[in-house]
Amino acid sequence: MGQGDIDAVRELLEVATEADGHAPLGEHQWLDLVEGGRAGFAGLVAWEPGHDHPVGYAQVTRGDTSWALEFVVDPHHRDAGCTIEKDLVGAALDVVRQEGGGRITLWVPKPDEHRDRVATRAGLLRTRDLCQMRRPLPVGRPFALDTRPFEPGHDEGAWLAVNNRAFAAHPEQGGWDLDTLKRREAEPWFDPAGFLLHEREGRLAGFCWTKVHDDHEPALGEVYVVAVDPDFQGGGLGRSLVLAGLDSLARRGIVTGMLYVDSSNTGAVHLYEDLGFTVDHVDRAYVGEVAPGS
């Protein structure tokens, strides 16, 4: 991905975001794109004659044990019978095939029957639904919890230890390293004041990291990551941390809170429903095995 390709795709993503009301790429994929890619990264840009802009984009990234795939088509090129989506997914699977094959996960925001068919015809099976839930702010429920803001250059080690213990089995949030965290700290949206840490017995017991989406009108306040160290789970700390994060967002003038939760995590879903969250939309994962080829 040269700078010209990156700039063209960035414009495509902005058009799609405006039309769809959500970002076409997840945060990990977005950072790979704007930083020019890395080992195990491939961006595929679709062009059509007579158009001076890309009509579609697919991005495939190799992880430790599997591949991730996301794609977007220009809103003006989504006519019935259009094959851009099928061609992009097929080209991405060819990349994986040429690189030795493996397990691949395709994420689709706000899926519909057409997207289900594209994934099915590519040999991918629906596996996970990720719910985006929202509620008005402020919450208006009391909580008693001492927190302090994250201190860059000081708290990374303790935070990584708790995050990776709490999300040991999570496919996206587990296994972060210092570089992964530093890349988030370098993002324009990063605000230590909204990155709340709670300590007990002289150690980090849990945290609630919030994120403000200024590109949304009105701005959305996200509970970006919330977790409790396994040693301190079971006492209601997670609930208090969520309330602390939502209170922090409300005090910054945010009127709508948002978070993501896997639909299969029934305990978390019930907690958020009890706090007044409702599902705004669903993002869906499709998984398949790609055989190696030439």
Side-chain angles (χ1 to χ4, degrees), residues 26-106:
E27 186 179 50
H28 294 281
Q29 285 70 27
W30 166 254
L31 289 173
D32 279 340
L33 170 64
V34 296
E35 294 178 3
R38 57 181 172 83
F41 163 94
L44 301 100
V45 187
W47 300 83
E48 283 190 349
H51 298 281
D52 61 357
H53 60 83
V55 297
Y57 174 69
Q59 185 166 309
V60 62
T61 310
R62 188 202 303 267
D64 292 336
T65 60
S66 63
W67 296 80
L69 168 61
E70 296 188 15
F71 71 89
V72 59
V73 174
D74 187 293
H76 301 104
H77 294 265
R78 299 176 183 174
D79 301 329
C82 175
T83 65
I84 297 174
E85 291 176 322
K86 179 177 71 69
D87 295 341
L88 283 169
V89 172
L93 295 181
D94 284 341
V95 170
V96 176
R97 192 171 292 113
Q98 293 162 9
E99 293 294 322
R103 187 177 180 84
I104 188 165
T105 300
L106 165 65

Side-chain angles (χ1 to χ4, degrees), residues 188-292:
W189 58 261
F190 179 76
D191 181 5
F195 195 162
L196 308 179
L197 307 184
H198 172 69
E199 295 168 320
R200 292 184 182 178
E201 302 171 9
R203 53 184 285 208
L204 181 61
F207 62 87
C208 185
W209 185 356
T210 65
K211 174 181 180 179
V212 175
H213 295 262
D214 288 320
D215 56 349
H216 191 277
E217 183 59 42
L220 283 174
E222 179 181 358
V223 176
Y224 180 55
V225 193
V226 59
V228 176
D229 185 283
D231 289 345
F232 297 93
Q233 291 177 359
L237 178 55
R239 182 188 184 92
S240 296
L241 283 165
V242 173
L243 287 171
L246 295 174
D247 179 70
S248 168
L249 290 166
R251 285 188 282 104
R252 281 175 277 165
I254 304 300
V255 298
T256 302
M258 177 266 282
L259 52 79
Y260 288 94
V261 60
D262 198 303
S263 63
S264 66
N265 188 349
T266 55
V269 171
H270 290 158
L271 167 63
Y272 299 139
E273 289 176 339
D274 184 62
L275 292 177
F277 282 89
T278 58
V279 175
D280 180 79
H281 69 268
V282 170
D283 297 343
R284 183 164 295 156
Y286 307 83
V287 173
E289 295 289 339
V290 180

Side-chain angles (χ1 to χ4, degrees), residues 4-21:
D5 282 329
I6 293 173
D7 292 342
V9 171
R10 188 193 297 264
E11 292 183 10
L12 167 63
L13 297 180
E14 291 173 353
V15 170
T17 298
E18 179 70 21
D20 299 333

Side-chain angles (χ1 to χ4, degrees), residues 11 50 91 107-108 131 133 143 183 188 214 216 241 275:
E11 292 183 10
W107 276 103
V108 174
C131 300
M133 305 183 75
F143 68 94
R183 293 169 73 189
D214 288 320
H216 191 277
L241 283 165
L275 292 177

